[in-house]
Amino acid sequence: MSAVMPAVMTRRQRLIGFVLCIATILLAVLDTNIVSAATVPIVSDLDPAHGVDKIPWLIAAYQLAATAALPLYGKLCDVIGAKKVFIGAVATFLAGSALCGMAGSMGWLIAARALQGIGGGGLMSVTMVVLRELKGPEEKDGGKGGSVGGIIAGAGMALGPWLGGVLADHADWRWIFYVNLPVGLAVLAAAVRVLRLPAHSTRRTIDFLGAGLAAAFSTMLLLVTQWGGKDHAWSSPLIIGLSTATVAAFALFVRRQATAAEPVLPLGLFRIREIRYGFAIQGLVGAAMMGSMVYVMIYLQVVRGIAASSAGLYLIPMAIGMTAVGLLSDRLATAGWSQKTFVVSGTVCASAALALLATLSTDTSLWTVRAALLLMGVGFGQLIGQLIQLVQDTAPAEQLGVATTGVRFFQTLGGALGAALFGTVLSRVYAARGPGGTTSTIGGLTGHARRQALDAFVSSTSVVFWSATAVMVLAAVLATRLPAGIRRKPEAEAAEVNATAFTTAPPLPR
């Protein structure tokens, strides 16, 4: 166990640190959404003949790298301190952004995007650790402070595709990556100078083997969910072999975590009720989010004939809902809402929104879609920040990093499994009810065959949304099992008592 030495920061330094974290989270959210709007000009410039086939790798490279790095980021935060890891993640992200902007081929761009993803994996997860450590001891009680996630996620969801389209249409697609540099360099310089986070005075080993097994398991799982049923049949030797290797890597990872002196994801965390349920709920939320956002966009484009760029505008009500909840959450917490109340309310709202989406037909008013997405934003906005804070409030002080990054890790894996589940449901239901062929052939149909195909497709997406509703209802049931009040771990309470003697700065304004 390492000794954690408290750091002293003035109120002004903590406020600057808070702004740095907001800028970093916004960079991460924007970068997740911004590239999708510029794939056409990227392909036209770098590889007009074969670039379209490589677009999935352009998107997947970032996600794979970011997910694989998450367990190691958490452990590094606990071993060497969040400040050093934060600076390293931002620097890696900026290096990847610069190389993406200079790319001369699709292969170069995909490799640079993977490097950017390694840094991007820390922008969101490590930044949440930094935000936690910026708070004074009197601010760390559960309930308040969950507003940042909803506000930033909502803003990024609304601004990302729009900003990407503007840069691609009126500047050059390379500026999608270069725009990260001035903001990121400013964050980097200020972080080096201003951040004074708790330091770890005792040397601890890092379980690189465990981190490698986690990276292998999560990467192969993501590949299975992205390739299965799309590029390769589920029964193909490649998918079966990759699935077998995924299970084997997972078993080895669990065994390593049970025997390693310093595991990257300590199994003891799962003995803590709030953390165990927090991880599970976050994984289910990740799956349900995948089932809502992706298939709403598909419905709008395939059934209603809305262009991809215009379909993205339908996410604005969802962004508004998330932002509104973010602005109101601290007031609700002051009025007596507990973290359990937020999580139960959020899962119930999201369940209702998914059930509403399940009622869509070929001629449903598009205002119904907007209303469902607004309600979805209200639901997810209550979950984004609160689940992370729930886990942080109950994690032992020396395991804050692995607990925080674990939330993000389970969300990503849940999203991957959700994508595979809902994709399989859609294709099989359509194959049973459609006029023949796959969903990709709908665009070429006419007359009665097209009407039959659209009806079958809508009924297929309805089954997908009902499946997502069931997933979210399960999350709501788990949320009701959370304790009404947060039970602080003795280690965390002792650390706060120790920190109180050294920390003199007043709390940050909320």
Side-chain angles (χ1 to χ4, degrees), residues 86-105:
F86 177 79
I87 291 172
V90 174
T92 303
F93 177 80
L94 293 180
S97 297
L99 290 173
C100 284
M102 295 185 292
S105 66

Side-chain angles (χ1 to χ4, degrees), residues 462-490:
S462 179
V463 175
V464 167
F465 288 128
W466 280 123
S467 301
T469 303
V471 171
M472 188 55 67
V473 168
L474 177 58
V477 172
L478 294 182
T480 63
R481 298 183 63 82
L482 290 170
I486 298 302
R487 297 173 297 158
R488 310 301 303 282
K489 295 300 291 179

